[in-house]
Structures are given as C-alpha cells and as structure tokens.
Amino acid sequence: MLLEREGPLGTLLASAERAAAGHGGTVLVDGEAGVGKTSLLREFAENADRNYRMLWGWCEALFTPRPLGPLQDMAHLLDPRVAALLEETAAPERLFPALLNALQHTKGTTVLVFEDMQWADNATLDLVRYLGRRVSLLRTMLVLSMRRDEISADHPLTHVLGDLPSDSVSRVTLEPLSSQAVTVLAEQAGRSADGLYRITEGNPFFVTELLSSSEVESGRVPDSIRDAVWSRLSRLTPGEREVLEVMSIMPGSVEPWLIRALLGDETEVLVDQCVGRGLLRRDVQGALTFRHELAREATLDRLAPSLQRSLHAKVEAALSELPAAQASALLSRRVHHAGGADNGERVLELAPLAAEQAARLGAHREAASHLATALRYVSEARSAMAAQLCEDWAYEAGLSLFVYDEIIEARHRAIAIWRELGRIDKVGANLRWLSRLHWRRGEGQEAEDYADQAVREVENLPPGPELAMAYSTRSQLHMLHYRFNEAIEWGERAISLADRLGEVETRVHALNNVGTALMFADRPGGRERLEESLTLALDHGFHDHASRAYTNFAECAVVAKDFALAERLLAEGIAYCARHDLDSAAQYLLGRQAQLRTEQGRFREAETIAQGVMNLERLPMVMHLPALTELGRARIRLGEPSGAGLLEQALQEGLTTGEAQRVIPVRLALAEAAWLAEEPGAGHEQLTALTEMDLDNFRPWDVGELAVWWQRCGMAGSLPVPAGRIPLPQALELRGDPMAASAEWSRLGLPYESALALMQVRGTDAGAALARAVATFEGVEARPAAALARKLAQRIGTANQLPKQRRGPYTVARQHPLGLTRQEQQVLTMIAQGLGNKEAARRLSRSPRTIEHQVSAVLGKFNAANRMEILLRLRGEPWLLPSAAALQVREN
C-alpha cells in the first residue's frame, strides 16, 4: 500500500464506480515530477474492479510529440475500426466520432489513462477536449496525469482543461510525502532518515532513489537526484550502462526489437538485469521504459554531445529500415532522432512529411513544430524548399501559435525567395496571407494594401486559383468595410474565374462576400447567393466556410428584421458549430442571437446569452464583439449601471478593427444612452462622429437609425442622408407620423422601437401615446425609457393618463431563448437529468405518447439530431435550462 495516498486512491475508485453506473468523468492527477503519479495509477489499477477495461497510453518528451501518441499506444486493444483509422492517419472528424461510438457500444466500463499530458501533442489535446465534453454520457473514465510544475497558465493543456465541463471533472493533486512518511520509508530500508526530508522535500522519487543507493552515507546525501542516479549508474556493469545510455536517448517506451537492433540479441540478459535492479520496467507487450522519467533524463545528461548525436543517428537508421507503413507511422520519432543527430539532410526529408501527417490529424501545433525543426537547417535546403518551408510553417503557426511577428516575417522571407525564383503565383499567395494576418491584428490599411498587391502580382499571370482567391479576399475586405459596390464587383470576378477553373471552395467564399454585401445594401439577389454558399459549404464538408455562411446570413437577417429567417439560421448555425466543436464560431453566433433578442425586446435573455459568451476566457476579440455590444445595449435599456462602460469598451475595441460594422451600432447605442439620461452633449458627440464617416456606405437600417436619433436629439442642421435609403418605419417618423412608425415597428416585432416612436407623438394624442409607451417599456423591463416617458407626461400635464407605476421588481414572465413552452422546458429538464420517456412520463404525469411528441418538439427547437446534442448545447449554453423556481413561478 502506498503511503499517504488513501484519499487520492479513494477518489479514483469512486470515479470509476460512477462511470460503471453510467456517469463517466475525467480525473486529473497532477503533481510535481517524481511525486508518484504513475505509482498511484498502478495502485488504482490493482484495486479497481477486475471487470474494468484498463487502457494505457503515454505522451513522450520528443522534440515534437507523436500525434495521438496515447491513442496509438492503446490501438491494439481498441475497436478494430478505430485502430484502422489510426493506421491510415484519418482526420479527427472521422477518428474521434469512431472512438466515441466504440466507447458507447462497449460492454462494461472503460478506463482510459493518458500519462504525462504535459508533453501532449495538439491532436491529443483536441481528443481530450472532445472526449472530456462527452464522457459524462458514457461508461468511461478518462484519467489524465500531468506534471504540475510544467503546466503554466499559457500551456495549451490549461486551455483544454478550462473547456471541460466542471461537473464531470475531478482533480487529484498529489503532494510530497510528510516527514513522518519519509521516516517510515527510511526505516523500512534500514537507513537513517537524518536530513533526508530536508533535502528531498518529500518527493517520493528522490527519497526512494536516494535510499536505493548503497553509497549514501549518514549525513552525506547527494545534492541532486542526478547525482544519485549517476552514482547508481557508476556501479553497474559496462553492458548494463550501455543499455541504459542507449535507452535514454529515446523518450517514452522502447520496443524490444529496437533494443535488439541497436545492441544485438545478447542484450536480452542485460535488459533483464536492469529490470531486476528496478532501473527499467517492462509492460505487458514487452516494451521497456525507465522506472521514472527523471532517471532517464539524468542518464541522458551523463552522455557527451557527440555520443548523443551518434546514438540518435543509430536509432533513426533502425527506424528507417522498417517496412514503409511502419516507418511512416513513426515519422515523429524519426524527425526527433534526425534532429538529435544533427542530420540536416534527413530532417529536411522527414520533417515536412511528419508535418503533413500531423496536420491531417488536426495537430497543427505539432506540424508547426516539425517545420520549425526543418527551418533550423533551412540554409542546407534548395531555394524552393526553403521558401516552401517558410510558407508552410507560417500557415501551421498561424493556425496554432499566433506569434504574428514571426509568422509575418516568415511570409516575407518566402516572398523574397519565390520572387527570386520567378514564382509570382507563390508571391501572390503569400501576399494574400499577409493581408489576412494584418486584418486579424486589426491593421486594416496594411490588410488592404497587401490584398491589392496580391491581385496586382497574379493578374499578369494566366488566370489560376490564386488569382480567384485573391479577388475573393479583396471582395471580403470591401464587404467588411461596407464598400458594397466594390465587394460585389471583386466577388463576381472571383466567382467567374472560380467557375472557369472548377474551384468550388473559392466560389463558396466569394458567394458569401457578394451575398452579404447585397443583403446589407438591401439589393436583390443577396439571399440567393448566401443560400448557395451555405448549401455548397455543407455539401462539401467545408466546416469553416459553413460557419461563416451561417454567421453572415444570420446577421443579415437580423439587420433586415426578418426574424423568422434569423431564428432558423441561428438555431441551425449554433447547433452545427456545437456538433463540429467550432467553439469560437458558436460564440460569435450566440452574440448575434443576443442581438436578435435585443431587437425583440427580450433584454433579460439577451443579457444572459451575451454574458455567457463574455464569461469565456481567451475568446478572440472579434468573436466576442457582438456579445459585448449586445450586453452593453441590453443593460442600458434595463437600467443597469455597467451598460455604458461595456459600450465604451466595445467602441474602443471596434475602432481598432477599422470596420464600420464594429463602430456604427455602438455609437448609436451610446447616443441612445445619452438621450435616455438626458445628456444631450454626449449624444451629440456620438452622432457627430458618425457623420464624419462615409454615409454612402452605411446599411439602410443604420442610415435610418442615425437619422431618427439625429432628429430625436435635436441636432443642429440637416443630416445629409442619401434619398430613398431609409426603411419604412424610420421614414414614417422622420416624415412626422410617429404613430404610423410605431405600428410598423410592432408589425415587424420590435416593441421597444415601437414605444420609442410613440414618445415622439405631439399634440392631443401625446398623452395616450405616452401611456402606451410606458406600458410597453415596463412590460419589457426598460426602466430608463419608462422613467423618461413618465417625465415627459408630467411635463405636458398628462401624467394622470399613465398606468399606475410599479413598485419593487418587475414580475414579467420571461420567454425561453429557443421558444420552448413551459411543458417543453419541463421535458428538457428531464432530458438533462438523463431520464427516458417512460420515467419522464411518470414524473410529469403525462402519457408516454405526449412525452414522445414533446421530446420531438424539443429536439426540433434545438436543431438537434439526438439527446446527446441537446446535452452538448446545455453545457455551452447553460441558460437554456430553466431553473426549477422559474418553472414553478410559471405554473402558478
């Protein structure tokens, strides 16, 4: 029995029992190096139910980790289909669901142990995120061990752990042994404990290593564990030392055949001796590992650099002699050893292949790492290869590392080489990516300059794919900056050329740009183009393009006040993103859903949704800006004091992008806030700033809103509004018919705007109009607007016509964000609790047929194919699950 590990062992066993009962979970076992994580896990395996299926995998300290290393270690015990997909390096969207399906249909309980996650590759991290978000629905336990002292706040694993649902995650933190426990170990070894705790600080590995060294004398403990390991090595036979030295060059486990290939068949006896001495450990497949990673590292430190290079070269040569399929599967290890051997030619041959393999698995961070290894030898590469390495590294790093200065520099290096080689097509492609990189950094002018250069470079070449995508990139930038005519012109060029070349992806991209520009400008044909872009993206499995199509199409529908279309697109888009783990895109769409709820006067729902998005850390600025803007707007209208500050933050962030769509709505919201607070100076400042922008490039609804607030705020002078561009409800108010404007707003489904229009009524109808306005404002909890309307009625002497003022908190029944009825919300609660239809029918006192229909209705409103998709949505959007108190209030 391990000392002082009863509590952690109990936690692991309890989690396993919950998994066996159908409530799987993730257990994080962390602690410093040498604290006994592996020993605890082996003790857990010994004490767990014998019917559990225990699968083990390891992450290794290679220069670049193996993609899905732990899963590959388990491959021989996994479902045959999963093993086959691993062997063919199938993409994650095929591999991960296959693994999930295998776990769902496996009889009994499965325990997946991923050791040393501090060295995990990006694909393994994605797998942990994928499984960790679903494991509570399985009879599966996911155990992750990690070195606490190697996991910093910006370590990728930290980000993954933050994305896992907290209710299905347990943490076991192993602390060093107490002085009493160290004393017990020393007594068991027949050694003195004097000074042992002080020097080891209770680290179990340090303690056991020191106690196992016969050279340790009383009062003379080595200064470091390395010295202790070296002391043990010095007393071994030369053959035993050679085995350990060769093994130290290879992180992780070492196959028996590889040891024989490197040292000969006669080493079997030496290996057995090392195992017997407790220096090595052999698993059930016969693979060998050091008993502790620290011992391997200490052994490696003992080797001269020249010997390390020689051993690395021998290992890489042995791996390269394997059959092609096996050698390909070991590309990460081969790159590691080629780099360790300082063999630039070999690295340049292998690293791009390993990077390509990693990228196919979605391990873009590892792909970038392999390419970075190759770039260490770029001076040995031919010019074309050097340029391609710079280009490929910049692409992979742009997906995973976000070190923009280095990425931009690499693009410039690639451009310089390609230009020398006369590859203008390649020059154009890299200029286009420079445009995208500068756009992501909010450097709008640089983004446009590089997009223009990309077009100029490739226009003189025979028309090809690069020119088509350069045109579409130019179109996208024009659309983002509300230069609609230019966006349409460049987009149509891209579509025409893409069609001639058969480039479907470019057509999808360009159709999105043109359709969005047409819909924003309120011109015909936009909806049809966006529908085609979305359909093609879905048909061809272009996940990123599909999420972008849902995003732009939904925003266009919200802006155009086509709320039925917006509801459908947002529901489908959010479900699609949740289904494909497109978290950032899902949060952006949720921001647009909050915008829709604000327009509908459902401010509390808008606030809840937007706040949920803003609670997520590390979300890129552009992806949270819609939610930030709507959180500010909703709180301004609800009378919450933080609203103005949130809008100011949104304005400052929006200005850095240089995009009108990030600035216009925020300044209009700030003008409304100033009007509600009766602070005309602040409102005038925001409206004046808007007139300094190019009004010809405003969307019609933005122009109309600006004109209305210009009039309401009593701005001096006339607003130079282009004729015929203002939508009907706003035009009616500007023409002096606010009653008609209010009716039109009501018809469109915007109660708050309808009440604002009523506040502009003058003359004999003003009293009745203000009474209706107050009733509407109070019905949607718009306290500031209701208070201002009451002030106006007081001033004109019609306060007696107003409804009685409410005291205390409003008791408005809030609508569910997805429009679920009260009975459907009760069924949703049953689904969230994991109850089947029969049990739900019993608890709710309804017939099974009724429950079946209501479950189908919930699935439809969630746009979910099954209950699991509903549960995934609830994790990302917990506000969709009503509280028991809310349901009780509605019943009463």
Side-chain angles (χ1 to χ4, degrees), residues 652-729:
Q652 293 308 311
E653 293 185 3
L655 288 170
T656 66
T657 70
E659 296 176 16
Q661 64 173 315
R662 317 293 178 196
V663 176
I664 296 172
V666 183
R667 287 200 183 279
L668 288 170
L670 285 167
E672 176 189 335
W675 180 77
L676 290 170
E678 297 187 280
E679 297 175 354
H684 292 186
E685 179 183 348
Q686 297 298 333
L687 296 173
T688 300
L690 285 171
T691 61
E692 294 170 357
M693 300 172 68
D694 188 352
L695 297 182
D696 288 334
N697 286 335
F698 277 37
R699 298 175 298 191
W701 286 96
D702 294 333
V703 172
E705 190 171 354
L706 172 58
V708 164
W709 283 112
W710 189 272
Q711 179 171 288
R712 290 173 183 171
C713 292
M715 296 290 289
S718 60
L719 184 68
V721 177
R725 293 196 59 213
I726 296 180
L728 179 59

Side-chain angles (χ1 to χ4, degrees), residues 73 115 177 273 333 368 387 408 429 453-454 459 513 598 629 697 778 835:
D73 290 338
E115 286 216 59
L177 300 175
Q273 290 173 355
R333 290 171 65 179
I408 289 172
Q453 288 183 47
E459 269 188 325
N513 303 330
T598 303
T629 300
N697 286 335
E778 292 184 344
L835 301 181

Side-chain angles (χ1 to χ4, degrees), residues 83 384 451 640 851 879:
E640 303 290 345
I851 292 295
W879 55 85

Side-chain angles (χ1 to χ4, degrees), residues 467-473 475 488-501 503 506-507 509-511 513-514:
L467 181 60
M469 188 54 84
Y471 285 166
S472 191
T473 300
S475 169
I488 294 165
E489 177 186 350
W490 285 97
E492 293 293 357
R493 287 190 197 180
I495 292 169
S496 177
L497 181 54
D499 288 348
R500 296 209 315 264
L501 298 170
E503 289 286 324
T506 301
R507 178 177 177 83
H509 190 268
L511 281 170
N513 303 330
V514 174

Side-chain angles (χ1 to χ4, degrees), residues 171-193:
R171 183 180 289 273
V172 172
T173 299
L174 294 186
E175 299 296 341
L177 300 175
S178 67
S179 59
Q180 293 82 0
V182 172
T183 300
V184 169
L185 289 175
E187 291 174 351
Q188 289 175 349
R191 305 289 296 276
S192 170

Side-chain angles (χ1 to χ4, degrees), residues 317-336:
L319 294 175
S320 68
E321 292 175 2
L322 290 169
Q326 288 179 270
S328 176
L330 298 173
L331 272 173
S332 291
R333 290 171 65 179
R334 294 171 66 192
V335 173
H336 171 81

